[in-house]
């Protein structure tokens, strides 16, 4: 992503904040894994969104004070340090950071605490995401306290503290052309990973083998990390929604559910496919699978501008509930089952969530208490499922079957574009792909 995109975002933020405001956005910290070893670093999504600077511990300070005619964006980052860089990797340092990243000034992080008092001084409003990063909270609140305690008339603390997420979340919800291109690529890589898993699956291999195939495809295409913990649930493990142990043997006759997406330049994909380990669905698996697919396709029909996620969700619930009645899994009338939410035993999660820098991306689902209408540029998942627990009070042929089908949709002017369409999901497409593999 080039700097113009970041500059456009900064400008919009500066113009949207109240006049005479300052905004503070901390980068993510490195998190200790054990002793002197850290978890892989991932940049904070808000910080990433505003400047793309890739290092930990940095801060961004933006001001629209009248003394700056076009606003001001200052970066604080770790200083150059030859010894630390030998051990822990290269750093930009303030001078190089200012040359390469979209900021007006850059200083060493060591200067932050002292400079922050004067930077905040005189602004009327402070925009900051309280509670998002506890160390950042401590620094910001202690700086505000220093300002308040300064000798009278020498300093002025802002009179209001405003949650910057109110602005940034709305910005992040509607994707730009450049973001859509990145999300297309994240979707494409994950699609190919799911195809690879379908081609690789074999009885007596393990769930972790499939996980490895998925991650192999991600890595080979330059997507270094999954966007969330990959789920590979074979047999009744598919009924555990956030199953991540991924360590059980694959058994002939079972289905396997894979929920996996990669992160591409910060942006997530989030795909689920469910397929038979043998390459062929059994009759009961086919019936439940087709029902989930019918629910998803029916939900797609109402995914368009001005409709809402809840409308799509109601459609999916109706198809699933009627289907479960038709199969004898639920008893009674459709209206009563929907009113009593009996389907919740088998379909217990929501249909959709926003997708973007975060897999469960930011953005309100309601506005003034009303369901939010869909708008072009939003990206969301559509992911109905049916999960029959191994001890469910139903005919035993259904027990232990877990199915989810999840795609990533971009809202367009006229409807939607399915970014993950190329991942096979009809029964015949899946079986055909898997037969090809064995021949
Ligand atoms: N992979 C998490 C989800 O589908 O929401
Ligand atoms: Mn999802
Ligand atoms: Mn998912």
């Amino acid at each position: 992503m080039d700097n113009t995109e970041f500059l456009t975002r900064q400008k919009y933020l500066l113009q949207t904040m109240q006049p005479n405001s300052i905004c503070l956005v901390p980068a993510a910290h490195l998190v200790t894994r054990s002793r002197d070893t850290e978890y892989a670093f991932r940049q904070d999504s808000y910080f990433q969104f505003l400047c793309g600077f890739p290092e930990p511990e940095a801060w961004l300070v933006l001001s629209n004070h009248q003394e700056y005619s076009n606003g001001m964006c200052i970066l604080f980052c770790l200083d150059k340090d030859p010894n630390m860089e030998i051990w822990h990797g290269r750093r930009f340092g303030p001078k190089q950071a200012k040359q390469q990243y979209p900021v007006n000034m850059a200083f060493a992080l060591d200067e932050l605490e002292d400079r922050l008092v004067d930077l905040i001084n005189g602004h009327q409003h402070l925009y900051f995401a309280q509670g998002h990063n506890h160390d950042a909270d401590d620094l910001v609140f202690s700086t505000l306290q220093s300002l308040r305690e300064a000798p009278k008339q020498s300093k002025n603390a802002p009179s209001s503290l405003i949650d910057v997420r109110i602005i940034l979340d709305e910005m992040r919800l509607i994707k730009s052309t450049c973001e859509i291109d990145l999300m297309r690529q994240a979707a494409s890589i994950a699609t190919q990973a799911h195809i690879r898993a379908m081609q690789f699956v074999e009885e007596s291999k393990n769930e972790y083998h499939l996980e490895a195939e998925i991650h192999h495809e991600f890595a080979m295409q330059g997507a270094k990390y999954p966007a969330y913990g990959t789920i590979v649930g074979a047999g009744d493990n598919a009924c555990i929604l956030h199953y991540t142990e991924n360590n059980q043997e694959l058994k002939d006759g079972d289905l396997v559910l894979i929920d996996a997406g990669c992160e591409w330049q910060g942006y997530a994909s989030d795909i689920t496919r469910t397929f038979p380990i043998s390459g062929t669905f059994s009759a009961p698996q086919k019936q439940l699978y087709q029902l989930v697919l019918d629910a998803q396709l029916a939900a797609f029909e109402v995914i368009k501008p001005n409709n809402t996620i809840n409308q799509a969700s109601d459609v999916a619930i109706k198809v699933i509930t009627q289907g479960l009645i038709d199969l004898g899994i639920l008893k009674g009338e459709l209206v009563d089952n929907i009113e009593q939410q009996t389907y919740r035993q088998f379909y217990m999660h929501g249909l959709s969530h926003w997708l973007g820098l975060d897999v469960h991306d930011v953005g309100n689902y309601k506005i003034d208490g009303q369901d939010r209408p869909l708008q072009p540029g939003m990206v969301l998942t559509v992911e109905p499922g049916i999960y029959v627990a191994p001890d469910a009070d139903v005919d035993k042929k259904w027990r232990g079957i877990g199915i989810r089908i999840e795609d990533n949709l971009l809202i367009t002017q006229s409807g939607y574009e399915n970014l993950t369409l190329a991942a096979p999901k009809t029964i015949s497409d899946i079986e055909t792909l898997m037969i090809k593999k064995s021949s």
Side-chain angles (χ1 to χ4, degrees), residues 228-229 231 242 259-260 270 272 353 359-360 381 383 404 406:
Y228 52 88
I231 296 169
H242 291 164
D259 184 343
D270 180 10
T272 307
H353 56 80
V359 63
H360 293 165
T381 66
E383 48 178 306
R404 178 162 64 256
E406 175 173 28

Side-chain angles (χ1 to χ4, degrees), residues 35-98:
R35 290 172 58 82
D36 58 352
T37 305
E38 285 94 24
Y39 285 104
F41 176 69
R42 184 191 185 263
Q43 189 54 282
D44 176 83
S45 296
Y46 291 112
F47 187 91
Q48 172 69 25
F49 183 73
L50 285 171
C51 78
F53 185 68
E55 293 181 10
E57 320 302 337
W59 281 68
L60 212 53
V61 179
L62 297 109
S63 165
N64 65 8
H65 195 283
Q66 62 205 22
E67 82 180 78
Y68 314 117
S69 48
N70 286 313
M72 174 62 79
C73 179
I74 304 172
L75 176 74
F76 288 86
C77 62
L78 293 168
D79 209 354
K80 297 290 288 175
D81 181 330
N83 190 42
M84 290 298 280
E85 289 180 64
I86 285 170
W87 283 92
H88 302 290
R90 296 184 184 92
R91 293 177 179 178
F92 281 93
K95 192 163 162 230
Q96 211 186 332
K98 181 184 167 322

